[in-house]
Amino acid sequence: MTGVEGFMYPNEVELQWSALIVLYPYITGLVAGAFILASLERVFKVAAVRPTYRLALLTALAFLLVAPLPLQLHLGHPERSFEMYLTPHRSSAMAMFGFVYLWYLMVVLVIEIWLDYRADIVRLSQTRRGLTGWIYRLLTLGSRNVSPESRRIDDRVGWAITVIGIPSAFLLHGYVGFIFGSVKANAWWSTPLMPIVFLFSAMVSGIAAVLLLYMGISWRQKRKVDMLCLDTIARYLFYVFLIDFSLEMLDLVHRIYEADESFRSLDFMVRTRLYTSQVIVQIYLGTVLPILLLAATQVLRLSERLRRGLYAAAGLLTLAGIFAMRWNVVIGGQLFSKSYLGYTSYKLEFATREGLLTTVFLMVLPLAILWGLLKLLPPWPEREAA
Amino acid sequence: MRNHVREAEHLIRLALVFLAGGAAFLLIRQAVVPPGFGVHGHYRAAALEENRLRPAVYAGQAACSDCHEEQVKQRAAGSHRGVACEACHGPLARHAADPSAAAPRPPDPVALCRRCHEADAAKPKNFPQVVAQDHSGGEACNSCHQPHRPKV
């Protein structure tokens, strides 16, 4: 049989979870990571990252809006997914995830963004005309009160929501890891470390994405990058990356030392079918190299220009590495037989519902939404005015 | 106190928007969740009655033996004794009720036999299985085997 080596059970030959299911944890990871970066400023009072606070929130919102789409496109009857809100089954992890998603979208992100932008929205509602004016007036909810006292209340409520938001972001992405980690029949997935590894890799990818977006937008709009902000984000990226890498290695060492009945089969898979995506892309290019680049910026005295270049390179490599990590989890978990005696292969289709074109479209869509959000809610209004 | 309420008026408006959203959700839920959902389990209670009212399409083994005694005897003596007549011939309740109303279609022996007997490593070793192409070169199985008592 083409693409099959050794013995596969009949229902294992064809992969059921496609590249779209790879995209789903990748996108939710970017959401959770971007939000954690925003919370650094809000809750942990890291003032240096202030310039990216709003950008991080809008990035999280843009990606969160797209997060369920890969799942919807994977379903034969996407319209039925709404039923998990109407008649939720409490024993289904996916059904409960719908509520986690809704909570995070509506209660955490939308309210936090609204509270932070309220003064700007009120100002814009008074100056803009036409359709955008209408949108701003709608967003004010009819209240134009931006007195210092009302802003003080906003600030306190916003802080409380961010505090609630941190465990919510952890829950959102830890949950995605949980869905894989709880599949006890699959030795590649079934580990209690999975939610934690997913969470830290989410933080890494989200921070890297905001770092790159901040640099990219500043370059595009010919604005000077706040180097203190960039250095601080890169430092946090470095720290979180170290923890993430340690956890992944801990998982690896644990698997090697435990060497249960699945080990030889999985080890063979990593050395053959997953070698490029796991060893080369995920570990060497996507983890070790960016950590080394970031470490270089921490220990060497480098010029601003060089540091920016290294941050951009490290950010891009990180995003590619985390994507490879999601790929290796989702696709890798379906390549080997549960008999541990054979391997199948995955061929990414091109112009189909779950093909490459759809995957690329879903990856570009959040950036398009972010572009619209940045137009509607400019993150740096003081610079707009100047 | 009144001052606080005035300064937090926008938050009250926001809460009202959320309450309105919640109320709209409950109304939609009320309108679209079918009555009787969840009475017995995570499904529509009326579905049980609807399924019960659907006409049976299988006649059952006893109905076949009323008329086709010879074939039933042969089947009972061979290795297909555990396979019900309608597993190969299809659902035939209408035929059993009135043999002239619906005549059973003879099964396609090439496709039908392969469904169970095509070689597959996942099947138990002692189950009779062949690679049909090598075994018969596409010739109909019943040109050598008697399906009711499948010996050569």
Side-chain angles (χ1 to χ4, degrees), chain A residues 209-348:
Chain A
V210 176
L211 178 87
L212 284 175
L213 282 168
Y214 178 56
M215 288 171 75
I217 293 168
S218 304
W219 173 75
R220 182 84 181 80
Q221 299 181 346
K222 298 190 172 55
R223 288 181 171 145
K224 192 170 161 27
V225 174
D226 184 330
M227 237 12 234
L228 178 63
C229 171
L230 217 54
D231 288 334
T232 313
I233 297 177
R235 198 169 64 242
Y236 277 100
L237 177 62
F238 177 58
Y239 295 155
V240 179
F241 218 156
L242 279 182
I243 300 174
D244 177 48
F245 185 54
S246 318
L247 284 169
E248 284 188 34
M249 288 305 109
L250 184 64
D251 182 41
L252 188 70
V253 170
H254 184 257
R255 279 170 189 270
I256 294 171
Y257 190 72
E258 190 182 19
D260 66 8
E261 70 276 15
S262 67
F263 181 70
R264 283 179 63 177
S265 174
L266 298 182
D267 184 48
F268 181 77
M269 180 173 77
V270 172
R271 287 168 198 272
T272 52
R273 303 210 166 195
L274 280 190
Y275 188 77
T276 311
S277 61
Q278 174 113 9
V279 179
I280 306 283
V281 182
Q282 183 189 328
I283 298 179
Y284 288 140
L285 294 178
T287 307
V288 176
L289 186 55
I291 285 181
L292 288 177
L293 292 179
L294 290 169
T297 63
Q298 300 300 311
V299 294
L300 301 173
R301 282 187 180 208
L302 304 169
S303 69
E304 276 194 13
R305 196 182 149 80
L306 191 57
R307 287 211 304 278
R308 278 204 300 271
L310 288 179
Y311 293 156
L316 286 170
L317 286 169
T318 303
L319 287 182
I322 301 290
F323 184 82
M325 184 258 183
R326 311 298 191 225
W327 177 278
N328 294 324
V329 168
V330 176
I331 302 297
Q334 301 171 86
L335 290 182
F336 66 95
S337 170
K338 305 298 173 290
S339 65
Y340 304 128
L341 294 172
Y343 305 89
T344 187
S345 43
Y346 174 59
K347 186 169 186 316
L348 182 61

Side-chain angles (χ1 to χ4, degrees), chain A residues 197-210:
Chain A
V197 170
F198 260 59
L199 191 58
F200 276 90
S201 57
M203 284 156 72
V204 169
S205 66
I207 294 173
V210 176

Side-chain angles (χ1 to χ4, degrees), chain A residues 86-87 89 141 145 147 154, chain B residues 7 10 13 25 29 37 42:
Chain A
L86 299 172
T87 51
H89 206 305
L141 301 181
N145 181 9
S147 65
D154 285 351
Chain B
E7 295 296 347
H10 58 285
R13 285 172 184 262
F25 171 75
R29 191 172 184 277
F37 186 92
H42 205 75

Side-chain angles (χ1 to χ4, degrees), chain B residues 51-89:
Chain B
N51 279 338
R52 200 182 63 78
L53 290 175
R54 286 167 69 183
V57 291
Y58 284 93
Q61 200 60 31
C64 306
S65 47
D66 286 347
C67 304
H68 304 284
E69 200 183 335
E70 177 55 30
Q71 285 83 347
V72 169
K73 245 189 215 162
Q74 277 197 27
R75 186 190 66 98
S79 53
H80 275 171
R81 60 187 163 276
V83 183
C85 302
E86 288 169 298
C88 297
H89 292 282

